[in-house]
Amino acid sequence: MPFPKSEDAHRLDLYLMKASDSVRICVPVCEQGLVAAEGAIAKAGEIGDLIEVRLDCLDPFQIGEGFKNGEHLFDRSQRPTILTFRPAEQGGHRKLDTKSRLLFWLFNRPTSADFLDIELDLALNASVFDYGKKVDWTRVICSHHNFVGVPGDLDRIFDRMTQTPARILKVAFQAGDITDCIAAFYLLDRARSEHREMIAIAMGTAGIMTRVLGPSRGAFLTYGALENESATAPGQITARELRSLYRIDRISRQTRIMGLAGLPVTHSISPYIHNAAFESAQFDGVYMPFEVREISSFIKRMVHPRTREIDWNFLGLSVTAPHKTSVMNCLDWIDPAAKEIGAVNTIIVQGDELHGFNTDADGFVSPIIPRIGELREARCAVIGAGGAASAAVWSLRQKGAEVTVYARDVNKARTLAERFGASSKPLRSALFEGFDIVINATPLGTSGAQETKTPATAAQLGGARLAYDLVYNPSETQFLREAREAGCELIRGLEMLVMQAGEQFRMWTGAEAPAEVMRDAAIRALRLRQCE
Ligand code: NAP
């Protein structure tokens, strides 16, 4: 809906009321130069519902005296604008003392912005504003930022904000832990019960869910960056991700919540795979990355139906490193196979209980069967002795394969092998001639510092039939290149990732997984990651 840019405040109200049926994404623009700012505002108008123009980002040389040159930035915007002039201690880009901030707001600010974001300390002295350019407090967002952590006196901050004449309240604080999101949701609940309009954000990667779920819990708006590089606060994801990856316009209080708990998780492609599947199956669900340091407090305070502190429609979790084993202590029931493997990667809320499963094992073995057929007595080498190796060895042994575990730490290899009736050998100078399958279950080859590494060379892999790399990013690893040179058939880690995700989808929704959709989404997400 194009914004009817007009002096007429009534038309702005109508626009915002219409937009309140849906979600408002505000795209911040923080540029040093006027020309760049103008370009960014035009681009922001294509994806955002509102545009925050951060005048504190502008080079003082560019704006000249009195910000007069900045007026046209607001005049020409295709969307309602928010004018912000933040001091450094509140997350702004310049040192500003109280006097220069007041001078700006009272006398020097451009007047054609639709909303003003005025920090709490100034808004508390609202009568001072009577001496300058008129301020319409029904268009003011009163904001407070804390870049250290959750303020201990949140209720007091809220109370002080309500003492100002500002219509909209905003609190943003740094999340040190995912459970800090509870405080942001608490503020939104309190605002709703007191009929106040509020924005509450937990900043940082642990707070992503507050940006995605905020509007469905009553937030006046959520912020989304124009590009990853132009984010104006920690953990701010892009407006495009909010719209097309998380489908934020369709999230409501009824939407089923799922996500991936681990550390790190922000580079996972699982949100792309699951959200694409939900969209294709028209399932009302959203899947987010949950950056979890301490799994037991996360489960207790946010997930377990009997103890959680937030009221949300939580359906299930994927679990990744380093929590696959420790999470088992937090569950009411664990599938016997997951117990044997010693790892849970999938959790489902069943009534008031949490049930744990392992879909890695089935996901691992499914791509092998069409290539090898019968696995009974197949000779398999598993390189690595961690969580993924455990699931691989367990499922291969279940199918009657002969398995040898190769690890750099022979004790770890032996311990894993003994658990499942396999044998073990040191990885150093291993030769894989005569093996039907050689599996890389180490992170060697993963994009980043490990990318050029491989646990086996072409010379070591010569004479093996099939090489299977569990690493999925990049899709073509050094291990697979070596294996191709050695003449092996190849299986990519992406196949396992999509298969195990499909099994999770089936468990959560009760429907068959749209395998092709999930696979395409995974490939697209990997391409995106490679461009980043
Ligand atoms: P993990 O529990 O940390 O185990 C990693 C294993 O790799 C350990 O045995 C470790 O040995 C070994 N290792 C690490 N660096 C090594 C090196 N430089 N040389 C030799 N061995 C090394 O990790 P995981 O959860 O099993 O995951 C392993 C890989 O599988 C990861 O890349 C993960 O992304 C991938 N994975 C893929 C899927 C999928 O769906 N495709 C699913 C699960 C896992 P030490 O114990 O001696 O450190």
Side-chain angles (χ1 to χ4, degrees), residues 7-46:
E7 305 282 289
D8 184 347
H10 179 61
R11 290 181 68 192
L12 175 63
D13 281 335
L14 281 179
Y15 172 83
L16 288 172
M17 271 164 59
K18 271 195 188 148
S20 78
D21 295 331
S22 54
V23 166
R24 296 185 200 106
I25 298 179
C26 174
V27 179
V29 166
C30 178
E31 296 288 345
Q32 286 186 328
L34 281 170
V35 176
E38 214 172 320
I41 287 169
K43 273 196 195 156
E46 289 166 17

Side-chain angles (χ1 to χ4, degrees), residues 206-218:
I208 285 177
M209 71 165 84
T210 62
R211 298 181 182 278
V212 177
L213 300 181
S216 66
R217 303 184 72 88

Side-chain angles (χ1 to χ4, degrees), residues 42 67 322 333 396 427 462 500 506 517 519 528:
F67 286 85
W333 180 86
L396 289 169
L427 177 57
Q500 63 80 29
R506 199 187 58 72
V517 170
R519 201 179 136 74
L528 259 178

Side-chain angles (χ1 to χ4, degrees), residues 326-466:
S326 48
V327 78
M328 296 172 82
N329 297 324
C330 312
L331 308 177
D332 300 289
W333 180 86
I334 298 172
D335 178 62
K339 258 191 197 158
E340 277 183 39
I341 296 164
V344 158
N345 79 327
T346 309
I347 295 174
I348 309 177
V349 175
Q350 293 277 3
D352 68 350
E353 292 194 343
L354 293 183
H355 294 184
F357 300 84
N358 188 310
T359 65
D360 278 339
D362 281 349
F364 162 76
V365 93
S366 324
I368 302 177
I369 307 293
R371 269 105 161 177
I372 294 272
E374 180 65 31
L375 268 168
R376 182 161 295 282
E377 289 172 16
R379 288 192 66 208
C380 304
V382 175
I383 309 177
S390 297
V393 176
W394 180 86
S395 41
L396 289 169
R397 292 291 298 135
Q398 283 285 308
K399 303 269 177 216
E402 285 175 21
V403 180
T404 308
V405 180
Y406 290 83
R408 61 179 172 184
D409 181 330
V410 282
N411 290 326
K412 286 186 185 168
R414 191 182 316 115
T415 309
L416 171 58
E418 282 173 0
R419 276 175 57 209
F420 301 120
S423 51
S424 63
K425 285 195 174 159
L427 177 57
R428 218 159 159 213
S429 11
L431 288 176
F432 298 104
E433 187 175 6
F435 275 98
D436 293 300
I437 315 171
V438 183
I439 296 131
N440 174 28
T442 76
L444 294 179
T446 306
S447 111
Q450 305 270 28
E451 191 154 345
T452 55
K453 300 193 177 146
T454 175
T457 60
Q460 289 175 285
L461 289 165
R465 178 175 163 192
L466 192 150

Side-chain angles (χ1 to χ4, degrees), residues 125-400:
N125 297 304
S127 56
V128 174
F129 287 81
D130 295 343
Y131 299 102
K133 290 180 179 177
K134 189 172 172 302
V135 168
D136 174 357
W137 290 93
T138 68
R139 298 267 182 266
V140 171
I141 300 170
C142 171
S143 65
H144 176 79
H145 297 78
N146 185 320
F147 286 87
V148 178
V150 187
D153 52 349
L154 263 190
D155 274 318
R156 190 157 167 270
I157 291 169
F158 186 98
D159 291 341
R160 291 172 77 213
M161 286 185 150
T162 58
Q163 284 156 20
T164 74
R167 173 178 134 206
I168 301 153
L169 320 180
K170 173 187 173 188
V171 175
F173 53 79
Q174 184 68 30
D177 186 81
I178 192 158
T179 52
D180 291 342
C181 295
I182 297 170
F185 293 143
Y186 163 78
L187 281 177
L188 290 176
D189 285 348
R190 179 171 171 194
R192 209 178 48 248
S193 68
E194 295 179 25
H195 308 290
R196 297 299 310 236
E197 287 169 295
M198 172 108 215
I199 303 160
I201 292 162
M203 296 183 286
T205 41
I208 285 177
M209 71 165 84
T210 62
R211 298 181 182 278
V212 177
L213 300 181
S216 66
R217 303 184 72 88
F220 178 74
L221 57 78
T222 188
Y223 295 89
L226 197 50
E227 311 286 348
N228 280 322
E229 312 75 57
S230 59
T232 52
Q236 194 178 85
I237 51 182
T238 65
R240 236 168 270 283
E241 284 173 311
L242 286 169
R243 284 243 141 86
S244 56
L245 169 58
Y246 297 108
R247 298 164 299 125
I248 193 171
D249 295 287
R250 282 188 247 156
I251 299 176
S252 70
R253 286 290 278 237
Q254 282 71 48
T255 299
R256 261 71 58 97
I257 311 289
M258 282 143 287
L260 172 66
L263 185 73
V265 281
T266 44
H267 272 75
S268 165
I269 61 169
S270 293
Y272 290 86
I273 300 174
H274 282 293
N275 287 319
F278 296 155
E279 160 122 63
S280 149
Q282 298 188 345
F283 177 77
D284 185 12
V286 62
Y287 185 102
M288 292 168 284
F290 297 143
E291 185 187 279
V292 174
R293 281 172 203 288
E294 228 271 279
I295 191 77
S296 56
S297 69
F298 170 62
I299 297 280
K300 183 174 172 220
R301 298 188 61 199
M302 301 188 80
V303 177
H304 202 296
R306 291 199 298 266
T307 53
R308 66 188 172 209
E309 294 165 33
I310 41 174
D311 170 25
W312 59 352
N313 205 355
F314 205 95
L315 182 58
L317 262 186
S318 309
V319 184
T320 189
H323 303 309
K324 283 185 185 178
T325 303
S326 48
V327 78
M328 296 172 82
N329 297 324
C330 312
L331 308 177
D332 300 289
W333 180 86
I334 298 172
D335 178 62
K339 258 191 197 158
E340 277 183 39
I341 296 164
V344 158
N345 79 327
T346 309
I347 295 174
I348 309 177
V349 175
Q350 293 277 3
D352 68 350
E353 292 194 343
L354 293 183
H355 294 184
F357 300 84
N358 188 310
T359 65
D360 278 339
D362 281 349
F364 162 76
V365 93
S366 324
I368 302 177
I369 307 293
R371 269 105 161 177
I372 294 272
E374 180 65 31
L375 268 168
R376 182 161 295 282
E377 289 172 16
R379 288 192 66 208
C380 304
V382 175
I383 309 177
S390 297
V393 176
W394 180 86
S395 41
L396 289 169
R397 292 291 298 135
Q398 283 285 308
K399 303 269 177 216

